[in-house]
Structures are given as structure tokens and as C-alpha cells.
Amino acid sequence: MRAWLYCRVTNGWDADSRDHLALQKAELERFCAEHDLTVAGATMVTGSGKKELQELVHSGVEQDTYDVLVGISATRFGGDILSLLQTGKALTEQGKGICMVRENISTHPDIVLQNASETLESQEIGGLSL
């Protein structure tokens, strides 16, 4: 399955922003490797990213460049829940999904993420919590 990485910071293209974008990208690449996702590309954005995200969703659907759009957190996909839901809906209607790594949420039916309670259970050994 093909993943497109979406990395965004709110400030400009200074050294700190480039570092934060690089860290986001590295974490998303690790996530994809752990979940057998092939990285098809990446978009690096500063500012609100609203226009870039809309273009990425449109072109991803139109050109079929990815199956799932992967971001570090729901906050990277927009400043409000309505925008996030609209993006998720637009992708789902086209058989694609959105994945928010830190929240452990995926809307793609073929990507099953372990929820927080399962993670805690897997850390228990012999009735003792680690």
C-alpha cells in the first residue's frame, strides 16, 4: 500500500522549521516501515497548509499517487475538526484513507492500528504492569 507523507509546521522556513519537518518526516517513515507501507512521496509545508492539503487530496485522487495520507498528528491536517473531517471524507469516498500517527487513528480499512488499551495490555507481564 502506498503512503504519502504530509509534514507541516506553522512557522516559516527557518532552520528550526526545517529541523521539525525533517523530524516529522523521519517519524512518519519509521511508521510506514513498521506497517508495511511504501512511501510514495512527501509534502513539506509551512504555515496553515490548507491550500496545499486541498491540492494534495485532489491530486492524490485524480492521479492515484497514494492510498493513504499519513501525518504526524490530527493538528497537522488543519486547525479545526471540521476541516479534518472533510479531508477524511473526501479521501474515504475515493477509497483512500488518512492516518494520524500520534493519535493512532486510521480511516483506511486495510490499516489496523493497535489502540491504546491494547498497547497497555501488551506491556503487562504476569499481572504486573511495566
Side-chain angles (χ1 to χ4, degrees):
M1 184 173 312
R2 301 163 301 156
W4 194 276
L5 311 181
Y6 182 72
C7 307
R8 183 179 74 84
V9 294
T10 55
N11 48 355
W13 282 106
D14 59 11
D16 285 342
S17 295
R18 287 190 298 274
D19 290 346
H20 289 293
L21 286 169
L23 289 170
Q24 281 183 40
K25 186 177 181 202
E27 188 171 336
L28 295 177
E29 287 170 338
R30 276 191 303 277
F31 173 85
C32 288
E34 291 170 1
H35 291 86
D36 296 322
L37 300 172
T38 301
V39 176
T43 297
M44 313 288 259
V45 179
T46 62
S48 77
K50 189 172 186 173
K51 181 181 175 187
E52 292 87 352
L53 183 58
Q54 289 172 344
E55 290 173 4
L56 181 57
V57 169
H58 178 73
S59 67
V61 168
E62 194 172 89
Q63 299 171 15
D64 192 31
T65 52
Y66 59 84
D67 301 303
V68 63
L69 187 57
V70 181
I72 202 73
S73 175
T75 60
R76 301 300 87 199
F77 288 106
D80 62 85
I81 192 71
L82 182 58
S83 296
L84 176 61
L85 292 172
Q86 289 170 334
T87 299
K89 182 179 181 208
L91 289 168
T92 300
E93 288 174 347
Q94 299 299 318
K96 299 189 181 306
I98 192 167
C99 190
M100 294 156 277
V101 172
R102 291 204 178 137
E103 289 85 357
N104 212 28
I105 297 171
S106 173
T107 65
H108 197 287
D110 294 336
I111 300 174
V112 179
L113 301 176
Q114 188 176 30
N115 68 38
S117 63
E118 290 172 336
T119 302
L120 288 174
E121 288 174 15
S122 69
Q123 292 176 353
E124 291 181 4
I125 297 177
L128 297 175
S129 213
L130 299 178

